[in-house]
Amino acid sequence: NPKELDDFLSRANAILGINFHPTSANKNTAVDLSACKNIKLFNSYGDDINYLLSRTDILITDYSSLFADFLMYDKPIVFAKFDHQSYLKEQGLFLDYDKDLPGSKVQNWQEMIEKMKDILINNKDEYKNKRFEMINKIYPIIDGKARERIANFIMSLP
């Protein structure tokens, strides 16, 4: 129910930005969102998506690797597994979705609203330690000197 979601977002003083994957950016939504003041559709990628991520308080994603980029901001992530069984059949996964990912997993929009309420209104962040572990696994060196290391590597090539 988009109206219920929009009403919650209004009460939480929040905006839900929906950004489509570049391969499905021209998809039409099956739901009319024109009356929703707090739900916005985007078609951003590249630097634009990085800018959006930097201004985002919660990332809601399904199976996108974009969560790994968002980890750098150390903010809550919610994984929407609305079509989990069909996705597993079609695509498969390289990790245990429920066990390994550093964020809450929700099955439907009602659970999503409840989880957003926990995070935005009740300030619950139960995956902070799990995010920290994954950040250290994916980004073992975060010192702002990556460009220097890359340049040194290139300069050392014969």
Side-chain angles (χ1 to χ4, degrees), residues 3 6 9-10 14-16 33-40:
K3 181 71 174 126
D6 195 53
L9 292 167
S10 181
I15 293 174
L16 174 65
L33 300 174
S34 60
C36 299
K37 296 176 185 170
N38 298 294
I39 302 174
K40 307 292 181 194

Side-chain angles (χ1 to χ4, degrees), residues 3 8 19 22 30 56 65 67 76-78 111 121 130-131 141:
K3 181 71 174 126
F8 163 75
N19 192 72
T56 297
S65 61
F67 86 89
I77 303 169
V78 178
E111 288 181 17
I121 296 172
K130 188 105 173 143
R131 282 195 313 275
I141 303 172

Side-chain angles (χ1 to χ4, degrees), residues 20-99:
F20 294 99
H21 189 276
T23 59
S24 61
N26 295 322
K27 260 188 177 176
N28 289 328
T29 58
V31 178
D32 180 12
L33 300 174
S34 60
C36 299
K37 296 176 185 170
N38 298 294
I39 302 174
K40 307 292 181 194
L41 298 179
F42 299 100
N43 284 317
S44 300
Y45 49 92
D47 289 340
D48 288 341
I49 194 67
N50 290 329
Y51 176 74
L52 283 173
L53 289 177
S54 73
R55 300 181 51 102
T56 297
D57 294 320
I58 303 170
L59 177 69
I60 299 169
T61 186
D62 51 8
Y63 307 100
S64 172
S65 61
L66 192 62
F67 86 89
D69 297 335
F70 190 70
L71 282 172
M72 297 304 294
Y73 299 106
D74 193 23
K75 296 177 186 176
I77 303 169
V78 178
F79 293 92
K81 55 188 274 185
F82 296 177
D83 62 345
H84 194 62
Q85 291 308 314
S86 62
Y87 187 87
L88 288 177
K89 280 183 189 174
E90 291 175 28
Q91 302 291 325
L93 293 171
F94 295 107
L95 46 75
D96 185 320
Y97 193 87
D98 291 313
K99 182 179 154 218

